[in-house]
Amino acid sequence: MNWLSSIIFLLFMGTPLFSKMNVVAEVINVVGDVEISPTSIDIIPGSAIVGRSLYNGDILRSSQDSKIQFLMENNIQVTIFGFSELRVDCNAQVCALILNYGNLFTEAST
């Protein structure tokens, strides 16, 4: 039984080391109904809430009369509103915001 608990411990501790999940943004404001669909199976899909982290490949869907604002790691604030869908794709130091449909507003400051 001791060797089994050691293997389980190593699996739980080693998984974050080999995971490709990098936080790319944080939700700072939500109005209405906005859903986050993660590409990773380790994260539960659900409603956006303030403080939730966004990861590479996440898809954000906002319904009519809703809005979500999130802050990227490089201090770029992104807002989507109305009936919209946005995917966040980041690799190395480049991030692409792919707007499938809807409205998008970005703001950067130094």
Side-chain angles (χ1 to χ4, degrees):
M1 192 66 160
N2 191 13
W3 61 273
L4 182 60
S5 60
S6 298
I7 290 174
I8 292 173
F9 176 75
L10 289 174
L11 284 174
F12 281 116
M13 295 307 291
T15 300
L17 295 175
F18 301 110
S19 175
K20 293 183 179 179
M21 295 180 3
N22 294 333
V23 175
V24 295
E26 181 180 344
V27 177
I28 57 173
N29 188 17
V30 179
V31 175
D33 184 31
V34 180
E35 181 182 317
I36 299 175
S37 297
T39 56
S40 174
I41 61 171
D42 297 343
I43 303 171
I44 300 171
S47 298
I49 58 171
V50 175
R52 181 171 175 166
S53 298
L54 298 177
Y55 299 93
N56 181 29
D58 283 359
I59 297 173
L60 304 156
R61 289 184 190 96
S62 62
S63 63
Q64 192 64 32
D65 299 327
S66 62
K67 175 177 84 169
I68 182 170
Q69 293 178 317
F70 58 93
L71 187 63
M72 304 287 290
E73 285 186 336
N74 52 4
N75 291 332
I76 294 176
Q77 183 174 324
V78 179
T79 305
I80 63 170
F81 50 94
F83 190 61
S84 303
E85 182 178 275
L86 176 79
R87 188 176 79 211
V88 181
D89 283 337
C90 294
N91 55 12
Q93 295 181 357
V94 178
C95 286
L97 301 174
I98 301 169
L99 183 66
N100 292 332
Y101 55 84
N103 301 310
L104 171 71
F105 178 75
T106 61
E107 182 179 358
S109 61
T110 57

PDB file of all heavy atoms in Angstrom, residues 94-107:
ATOM      1  N   VAL A  94       3.388  35.705 -27.721  1.00  0.00           N
ATOM      2  CA  VAL A  94       2.409  36.294 -28.627  1.00  0.00           C
ATOM      3  C   VAL A  94       1.025  35.748 -28.304  1.00  0.00           C
ATOM      4  O   VAL A  94       0.848  34.547 -28.174  1.00  0.00           O
ATOM      5  CB  VAL A  94       2.765  35.974 -30.095  1.00  0.00           C
ATOM      6  CG1 VAL A  94       1.729  36.541 -31.034  1.00  0.00           C
ATOM      7  CG2 VAL A  94       4.144  36.498 -30.421  1.00  0.00           C
ATOM      8  N   CYS A  95       0.055  36.657 -28.172  1.00  0.00           N
ATOM      9  CA  CYS A  95      -1.330  36.249 -27.938  1.00  0.00           C
ATOM     10  C   CYS A  95      -2.206  36.764 -29.068  1.00  0.00           C
ATOM     11  O   CYS A  95      -2.057  37.905 -29.499  1.00  0.00           O
ATOM     12  CB  CYS A  95      -1.852  36.798 -26.616  1.00  0.00           C
ATOM     13  SG  CYS A  95      -1.212  35.959 -25.171  1.00  0.00           S
ATOM     14  N   ALA A  96      -3.098  35.916 -29.517  1.00  0.00           N
ATOM     15  CA  ALA A  96      -4.069  36.290 -30.546  1.00  0.00           C
ATOM     16  C   ALA A  96      -5.457  36.180 -29.947  1.00  0.00           C
ATOM     17  O   ALA A  96      -5.782  35.189 -29.296  1.00  0.00           O
ATOM     18  CB  ALA A  96      -3.933  35.389 -31.758  1.00  0.00           C
ATOM     19  N   LEU A  97      -6.260  37.210 -30.153  1.00  0.00           N
ATOM     20  CA  LEU A  97      -7.653  37.192 -29.735  1.00  0.00           C
ATOM     21  C   LEU A  97      -8.483  36.971 -30.993  1.00  0.00           C
ATOM     22  O   LEU A  97      -8.522  37.825 -31.873  1.00  0.00           O
ATOM     23  CB  LEU A  97      -8.028  38.511 -29.059  1.00  0.00           C
ATOM     24  CG  LEU A  97      -7.215  38.871 -27.823  1.00  0.00           C
ATOM     25  CD1 LEU A  97      -7.583  40.256 -27.327  1.00  0.00           C
ATOM     26  CD2 LEU A  97      -7.407  37.845 -26.730  1.00  0.00           C
ATOM     27  N   ILE A  98      -9.111  35.827 -31.086  1.00  0.00           N
ATOM     28  CA  ILE A  98      -9.862  35.461 -32.285  1.00  0.00           C
ATOM     29  C   ILE A  98     -11.338  35.671 -32.003  1.00  0.00           C
ATOM     30  O   ILE A  98     -11.952  34.921 -31.228  1.00  0.00           O
ATOM     31  CB  ILE A  98      -9.554  34.014 -32.691  1.00  0.00           C
ATOM     32  CG1 ILE A  98      -8.051  33.888 -32.952  1.00  0.00           C
ATOM     33  CG2 ILE A  98     -10.374  33.611 -33.902  1.00  0.00           C
ATOM     34  CD1 ILE A  98      -7.564  32.487 -33.094  1.00  0.00           C
ATOM     35  N   LEU A  99     -11.903  36.684 -32.641  1.00  0.00           N
ATOM     36  CA  LEU A  99     -13.313  37.022 -32.466  1.00  0.00           C
ATOM     37  C   LEU A  99     -14.111  36.265 -33.517  1.00  0.00           C
ATOM     38  O   LEU A  99     -14.029  36.563 -34.703  1.00  0.00           O
ATOM     39  CB  LEU A  99     -13.518  38.532 -32.607  1.00  0.00           C
ATOM     40  CG  LEU A  99     -14.929  39.043 -32.377  1.00  0.00           C
ATOM     41  CD1 LEU A  99     -15.337  38.844 -30.922  1.00  0.00           C
ATOM     42  CD2 LEU A  99     -15.021  40.511 -32.758  1.00  0.00           C
ATOM     43  N   ASN A 100     -14.867  35.266 -33.091  1.00  0.00           N
ATOM     44  CA  ASN A 100     -15.685  34.489 -34.024  1.00  0.00           C
ATOM     45  C   ASN A 100     -16.893  35.294 -34.483  1.00  0.00           C
ATOM     46  O   ASN A 100     -17.267  35.247 -35.645  1.00  0.00           O
ATOM     47  CB  ASN A 100     -16.117  33.172 -33.401  1.00  0.00           C
ATOM     48  CG  ASN A 100     -14.942  32.241 -33.186  1.00  0.00           C
ATOM     49  OD1 ASN A 100     -13.948  32.301 -33.891  1.00  0.00           O
ATOM     50  ND2 ASN A 100     -15.062  31.380 -32.190  1.00  0.00           N
ATOM     51  N   TYR A 101     -17.515  36.022 -33.569  1.00  0.00           N
ATOM     52  CA  TYR A 101     -18.602  36.927 -33.896  1.00  0.00           C
ATOM     53  C   TYR A 101     -18.812  37.864 -32.715  1.00  0.00           C
ATOM     54  O   TYR A 101     -18.414  37.575 -31.601  1.00  0.00           O
ATOM     55  CB  TYR A 101     -19.907  36.186 -34.232  1.00  0.00           C
ATOM     56  CG  TYR A 101     -20.375  35.226 -33.163  1.00  0.00           C
ATOM     57  CD1 TYR A 101     -21.128  35.642 -32.076  1.00  0.00           C
ATOM     58  CD2 TYR A 101     -20.060  33.875 -33.254  1.00  0.00           C
ATOM     59  CE1 TYR A 101     -21.547  34.764 -31.111  1.00  0.00           C
ATOM     60  CE2 TYR A 101     -20.474  32.982 -32.289  1.00  0.00           C
ATOM     61  CZ  TYR A 101     -21.229  33.429 -31.228  1.00  0.00           C
ATOM     62  OH  TYR A 101     -21.643  32.542 -30.267  1.00  0.00           O
ATOM     63  N   GLY A 102     -19.394  39.034 -32.971  1.00  0.00           N
ATOM     64  CA  GLY A 102     -19.715  39.950 -31.893  1.00  0.00           C
ATOM     65  C   GLY A 102     -18.878  41.206 -31.883  1.00  0.00           C
ATOM     66  O   GLY A 102     -18.334  41.620 -32.905  1.00  0.00           O
ATOM     67  N   ASN A 103     -18.758  41.808 -30.704  1.00  0.00           N
ATOM     68  CA  ASN A 103     -18.089  43.093 -30.513  1.00  0.00           C
ATOM     69  C   ASN A 103     -16.898  42.944 -29.572  1.00  0.00           C
ATOM     70  O   ASN A 103     -16.985  42.268 -28.557  1.00  0.00           O
ATOM     71  CB  ASN A 103     -19.073  44.110 -29.924  1.00  0.00           C
ATOM     72  CG  ASN A 103     -20.276  44.317 -30.814  1.00  0.00           C
ATOM     73  OD1 ASN A 103     -20.131  44.546 -31.996  1.00  0.00           O
ATOM     74  ND2 ASN A 103     -21.453  44.193 -30.237  1.00  0.00           N
ATOM     75  N   LEU A 104     -15.814  43.639 -29.920  1.00  0.00           N
ATOM     76  CA  LEU A 104     -14.570  43.561 -29.155  1.00  0.00           C
ATOM     77  C   LEU A 104     -13.999  44.956 -29.011  1.00  0.00           C
ATOM     78  O   LEU A 104     -14.006  45.743 -29.949  1.00  0.00           O
ATOM     79  CB  LEU A 104     -13.579  42.661 -29.881  1.00  0.00           C
ATOM     80  CG  LEU A 104     -12.140  42.601 -29.356  1.00  0.00           C
ATOM     81  CD1 LEU A 104     -12.102  41.855 -28.046  1.00  0.00           C
ATOM     82  CD2 LEU A 104     -11.253  41.906 -30.367  1.00  0.00           C
ATOM     83  N   PHE A 105     -13.503  45.278 -27.810  1.00  0.00           N
ATOM     84  CA  PHE A 105     -12.828  46.545 -27.549  1.00  0.00           C
ATOM     85  C   PHE A 105     -11.570  46.255 -26.754  1.00  0.00           C
ATOM     86  O   PHE A 105     -11.620  45.501 -25.778  1.00  0.00           O
ATOM     87  CB  PHE A 105     -13.741  47.486 -26.756  1.00  0.00           C
ATOM     88  CG  PHE A 105     -13.106  48.794 -26.396  1.00  0.00           C
ATOM     89  CD1 PHE A 105     -12.926  49.778 -27.348  1.00  0.00           C
ATOM     90  CD2 PHE A 105     -12.670  49.031 -25.115  1.00  0.00           C
ATOM     91  CE1 PHE A 105     -12.337  50.979 -27.015  1.00  0.00           C
ATOM     92  CE2 PHE A 105     -12.070  50.224 -24.764  1.00  0.00           C
ATOM     93  CZ  PHE A 105     -11.904  51.197 -25.730  1.00  0.00           C
ATOM     94  N   THR A 106     -10.439  46.812 -27.160  1.00  0.00           N
ATOM     95  CA  THR A 106      -9.184  46.630 -26.421  1.00  0.00           C
ATOM     96  C   THR A 106      -8.629  47.987 -26.038  1.00  0.00           C
ATOM     97  O   THR A 106      -8.813  48.975 -26.723  1.00  0.00           O
ATOM     98  CB  THR A 106      -8.127  45.864 -27.245  1.00  0.00           C
ATOM     99  OG1 THR A 106      -7.830  46.607 -28.408  1.00  0.00           O
ATOM    100  CG2 THR A 106      -8.619  44.493 -27.620  1.00  0.00           C
ATOM    101  N   GLU A 107      -7.894  47.982 -24.924  1.00  0.00           N
ATOM    102  CA  GLU A 107      -7.251  49.210 -24.438  1.00  0.00           C
ATOM    103  C   GLU A 107      -5.926  48.824 -23.819  1.00  0.00           C
ATOM    104  O   GLU A 107      -5.860  47.908 -22.998  1.00  0.00           O
ATOM    105  CB  GLU A 107      -8.154  49.889 -23.411  1.00  0.00           C
ATOM    106  CG  GLU A 107      -7.595  51.185 -22.883  1.00  0.00           C
ATOM    107  CD  GLU A 107      -8.541  51.837 -21.882  1.00  0.00           C
ATOM    108  OE1 GLU A 107      -9.637  51.311 -21.625  1.00  0.00           O
ATOM    109  OE2 GLU A 107      -8.163  52.880 -21.348  1.00  0.00           O
TER     110      GLU A 107
END
